[in-house]
Amino acid sequence: MLKLCRNRRHGWILNRSGSRAVCAVSGQESLNRGYAMEQYAIKGGNPLVGEVEIGGAKNAALAILAAATMTDETVLIENLPDVRDTKVLIQAMESIGVIVNRIDRHTVKINASHIHDLTIEDDYIKKIRASYYLLGALLGKYRKAEVSLPGGCNIGLRPIDQHIKGFRALGANVRIEHGLIITEAEELRGNHIYLDVVSVGATINVMMAAAMATGKTTIENAAKEPHVVDLANFLNSMGADIKGAGTDVIRIKGVAKLHGSEYTIIPDQIEAGTFMFAAAVTKGDVTVKNVIPKHLESISAKLLEIGCEVEESDDAVRVVAAKPLGHTHVKTLPYPGFPTDMQPQIVVALGLSTGTSIVTESIFENRFKYVDELTRMGANIKVEGNTAIIDGAERYTGASITAPDLRAGAALVIAGLAAEGVSVVDDIKFIERGYEDFHIKLQSLGAQIDKVNTERELQKFKLKVG
Ligand code: UD1
């Protein structure tokens, strides 16, 4: 019989015998160990040319990993991107007793039949907000979960009121104590839930909890992102009954139990889009392979508008930038609109276009922090509130710059690839959260980029590139 007992350090602990269970993070990289101060050294000027293979979608992977804890049977997940965020979520899962076996770099087997702890510690949430997906997953399966309240973020305020509203609508008691969100329910009952804002995270969290609630749930004004659909498909492959994912209205019939499954994660829309814009900015010719072109439509449309050629085939998209880039206007929107996660990359491209462009950020209020860095490379950009007014410059020049967050970091690398001279990008730990082998993939397209760890390595790079 499973029993819940309280442990001061680890919070609630699930225990079969009533004796105290211990946290099992052993053998993993210490959470407190700092990251090495690695940098990217880039010599710009080479057009990117060739083919690049896109990995599994990071944001789908985070939801699917969390959902894999909802069955006691073994789950096999393929096309898992090997990036920092997925590694940290796996560590968070292992800390509560989930067994994760790595079959190869992109395949894991997960067994969550011996979860002994329903508390996700602070360190994990600090490193990766999506650890809070374990809230919906564990609430669904065990009717209880405690997760540290995610803190602030470099791209602005990120409230979780819609997640809480959804859990409460399902009958859970949700309270915040000592920095933890504590959610528990005698019984989870399906309900009609209208989300006040279109939120990927809230849609995912509520969908997971509702998948194992009693009765029917309807989520209205749901997020339609490809990774929301991928999670629904994964849950359905485990025996859930979810319809309508990818539309505004998701209908879920709760089931009592989920079973094991084998599942392949979809390709990463944002990784693909980043390479597509890298082709545009460097006046290159790049084919992104292993993608779903439909997921890239808003990105392809903007590339066409600024004068690139875009060729789609079944599972690849080729971007050729033969002409000078033209200007355009962009507003970030929930899917199928232009993704906020592609906003810095398009700004880097428009910074080198002819004419004036206006980019409006409608999802996160603080997502233009990288503009100061881009200005140091020669961009003419004025930010007013959530709008950037961009007067195209003739060129960027290399500079020492710092990645403020994941996507802006990747965008600054692209700017460096187009710039005259050498750029050094600091804080690449942000970029590595979501891009696997970023510099290696860029090298394979002809970019002059290396990861350097010391001043000596940087000097060596400079000598090499001349
Ligand atoms: C997810 C993505 C992130 C992407 C974002 C928008 C993951 C792991 N992350 O983040 O890469 O940039 O979608 O596409 O998939 N909001 C509320 N209350 C809530 C929740 C959200 O007001 O309870 C607001 C947010 O402040 C934001 C908007 O809703 O303005 C969208 O946020 P949301 O879709 O929830 O983003 P995340 O799921 O955090």
Side-chain angles (χ1 to χ4, degrees):
M1 226 309 258
L2 290 173
K3 258 171 99 176
L4 281 174
C5 58
R6 183 92 189 163
N7 171 291
R8 254 207 331 213
R9 212 175 127 244
H10 297 301
W12 286 98
I13 287 190
L14 203 61
N15 189 316
R16 280 170 203 277
S17 61
S19 66
R20 216 173 78 167
V22 287
C23 181
V25 221
S26 58
Q28 297 301 314
E29 179 192 359
S30 159
L31 271 176
N32 297 321
R33 192 185 298 164
Y35 297 119
M37 276 308 292
E38 288 171 324
Q39 301 169 315
Y40 284 140
I42 304 163
K43 167 86 186 293
N46 282 11
L48 297 192
V49 177
E51 296 180 347
V52 63
E53 195 82 27
I54 299 306
K58 174 195 73 103
N59 287 345
L62 295 171
I64 286 170
L65 283 171
T69 64
M70 296 178 70
T71 173
D72 282 346
E73 294 180 20
T74 298
V75 170
L76 181 90
I77 300 173
E78 293 177 310
N79 206 28
L80 181 74
D82 187 23
V83 293
R84 211 182 286 281
D85 272 11
T86 53
K87 285 181 192 152
V88 176
L89 181 57
I90 285 173
Q91 273 183 280
M93 288 160 54
E94 286 176 324
S95 78
I96 58 168
V98 179
I99 295 166
V100 182
N101 282 322
R102 225 169 239 283
I103 309 298
D104 61 38
R105 190 172 182 200
H106 299 122
T107 310
V108 288
K109 260 190 185 164
I110 295 177
N111 187 287
S113 57
H114 289 96
I115 288 181
H116 53 62
D117 191 340
L118 298 178
T119 302
I120 304 303
E121 291 187 66
D122 194 26
D123 277 345
Y124 297 105
I125 280 290
K126 275 195 190 131
K127 286 206 172 152
I128 162 195
R129 287 177 53 86
S131 304
Y132 67 16
Y133 286 156
L134 290 168
L135 209 52
L138 298 176
L139 177 66
K141 186 179 180 194
Y142 295 111
R143 304 294 190 248
K144 179 164 176 69
E146 294 187 358
V147 174
S148 288
L149 194 60
C153 178
N154 283 347
I155 59 174
L157 283 174
R158 293 177 82 166
I160 55 157
D161 55 303
Q162 298 304 305
H163 304 234
I164 293 174
K165 173 178 167 174
F167 293 149
R168 284 194 176 134
L170 295 174
N173 185 313
V174 187
R175 59 188 198 281
I176 295 174
E177 276 173 16
H178 309 296
L180 288 172
I181 315 168
I182 302 167
T183 170
E184 52 195 326
E186 287 289 316
E187 192 199 351
L188 283 181
R189 285 177 312 277
N191 203 343
H192 196 104
I193 300 164
Y194 178 84
L195 296 178
D196 300 317
V197 290
V198 178
S199 161
V200 171
T203 304
I204 284 175
N205 243 336
V206 175
M207 197 198 308
M208 287 193 288
M212 294 190 80
T214 310
K216 292 182 192 167
T217 297
T218 307
I219 307 176
E220 297 231 37
N221 201 25
K224 296 179 279 200
E225 267 66 5
H227 41 293
V228 171
V229 179
D230 210 30
L231 172 67
N233 288 341
F234 173 62
L235 286 166
N236 284 342
S237 79
M238 295 165 79
D241 185 346
I242 301 172
K243 293 198 172 76
T247 75
D248 293 324
V249 185
I250 299 180
R251 294 177 206 281
I252 304 161
K253 272 191 207 153
V255 296
K257 217 171 159 198
L258 295 173
H259 56 71
S261 164
E262 294 187 2
Y263 195 79
T264 304
I265 294 171
I266 53 165
D268 198 305
Q269 173 204 25
I270 306 299
E271 187 195 11
T274 301
F275 280 100
M276 289 163 75
F277 269 93
V281 175
T282 62
K283 304 192 179 357
D285 177 350
V286 172
T287 302
V288 292
K289 292 175 70 181
N290 182 33
V291 297
I292 299 174
K294 172 97 191 125
H295 295 168
L296 301 171
E297 273 174 358
S298 64
I299 296 165
S300 299
K302 284 296 162 192
L303 285 165
L304 285 167
E305 269 177 46
I306 62 175
C308 296
E309 292 161 39
V310 181
E311 276 172 32
E312 284 180 11
S313 55
D314 280 355
D315 63 351
V317 176
R318 178 178 175 201
V319 177
V320 185
K323 293 188 287 191
L325 299 179
H327 65 280
T328 190
H329 303 320
V330 188
K331 183 174 183 183
T332 62
L333 288 168
Y335 189 84
F338 191 85
T340 173
D341 285 355
M342 285 299 303
Q343 180 259 100
Q345 299 88 318
I346 197 169
V347 166
V348 165
L350 297 176
L352 287 177
S353 69
T354 51
T356 302
S357 306
I358 296 174
V359 174
T360 308
E361 172 55 60
S362 80
I363 311 287
F364 294 112
E365 82 279 4
N366 199 9
R367 216 169 183 175
F368 285 122
K369 277 173 106 176
Y370 65 91
V371 163
D372 285 345
E373 299 295 81
L374 205 52
T375 304
R376 298 180 58 243
M377 299 178 80
N380 299 317
I381 303 176
K382 197 169 158 207
V383 175
E384 282 177 8
N386 68 344
T387 303
I389 302 146
I390 305 159
D391 277 323
E394 249 171 51
R395 60 184 186 136
Y396 291 146
T397 50
S400 281
I401 43 187
T402 300
D405 63 69
L406 165 59
R407 304 303 173 186
L412 290 172
V413 169
I414 296 176
L417 293 173
E420 280 178 24
V422 171
S423 296
V424 179
V425 182
D426 258 328
D427 274 355
I428 63 169
K429 64 177 189 284
F430 286 117
I431 300 170
E432 291 179 338
R433 280 186 42 210
Y435 292 88
E436 180 181 312
D437 295 342
F438 194 40
H439 66 292
I440 295 170
K441 290 187 182 182
L442 288 168
Q443 281 167 359
S444 76
L445 296 171
Q448 299 194 85
I449 177 169
D450 266 346
K451 202 182 222 189
V452 296
N453 223 342
T454 59
E455 185 56 32
R456 206 190 155 112
E457 284 176 11
L458 178 58
Q459 292 311 327
K460 231 170 108 184
F461 174 82
K462 286 183 177 167
L463 278 175
K464 185 173 83 180
V465 296

